[in-house]
Amino acid sequence: MAIIGSGPSALILAAMLDENKYQVSIYEKNAAPARKFLVAGHGGFNLSHSEPFEQFAKRYTPASFFEPLLNTFSNTNLQEWFNKIGIPTFIGTSKRIFPQKGIKPIQVLNSILKVLKDKKVTLHYSYNWQGEKMDADITVFALGGSSWKVTGSDGSWTQYFEKSGIQVVPFQASNCAFQINWPKNLISLAAGMPLKNISLKSLTVKKEGEVVITEFGMEGSPIYALSKQIRQQLNEHKKAICFIDLKPSLAIDKLIQLLEKKPIDCTMTKYLDETVNLSKAQLALLKNLTTKEDFLNCVALANKIKELPLEITGLAPIDEAISTTGGISLDEIDENFQLKKVPNQYIIGEMLDWDAPTGGYLLQACFSMGYTLAEHLNK
């Protein structure tokens, strides 16, 4: 068996395959394995999320594709496997699953590579696959998506599959910053500043957390989690509207009452700062995106605080995105990841067209795919 690529889906596949049944070789473009896996660990190495299955599966698009995979190899199963190979985990306050404190990403990778070594898996480095047929009975492709080209994940493989008549959905950025054409004054006042304890709504979906105002627009977990809804609007209308609630813990009627209590000798800006507890960044956003008339009208201002519209005009470049949607259409593979048009060739990981938020969901999906394919091939 030849496995092209050495990301998480490829690694767990090789780790789970029956060594008495398969002679496994991994072919990697870089001089070392799993570069994107290691880069993902720089910002906090969350391996998965501890959410219950019902909610967990709904985080994915399409959920119906991932439900059986997560049933086969769940977040709990992943924790058990890591513990078995010497990487104990813990659940953080964010409910994300991390390696035990003090364990670095390279240690996690080395523990997986030890499993491969014990199974006599061969790793070939600096091998740049360019469409050639591999000398193997079975070939598994795990070449990744199209973000973070520095890690080798550049999506250049698409041309070779398209030549074989395989449908490839164009890549789009996901879990990325979104472009907003801010007023220049707002950039000078608030660029780089966080908006804490806010909620964002796109279409019918709402997410809470913290975002950052940037010169380009906005980034942070809540807006990443709305990638699907924002992309949908951008694809249909060339723009997307998001609504930000600057005080999600305060009901609109209570907010109006609070604003109406403002003393006559106190400015609205000072009152919002000291009594409503809006931060400097929240105040800058509100004042720059609200008319003077609305800012001085308690009902209108309360409505703006609770539902301030933001017009999004674009996505960050793909290479700056955490992940991508697009890739080989799910219609091109059977229930066991095998290409319908090319027997004994399988596709797993971010090469396929699916989407998930950050927070451990992306890695869990890749691990679940690799494990499930190994289970099938071991039968």
Side-chain angles (χ1 to χ4, degrees), residues 50 72 130 136 181 316 323:
S50 64
T72 300
Q130 293 181 305
N181 296 321
S323 62

Side-chain angles (χ1 to χ4, degrees), residues 230 232-241 311-314:
I230 295 170
Q232 180 183 329
Q233 291 184 70
L234 286 171
N235 290 338
E236 290 175 2
H237 309 295
K238 308 298 182 190
K239 67 177 182 179
I241 303 297
E311 184 176 299
I312 295 168
T313 56

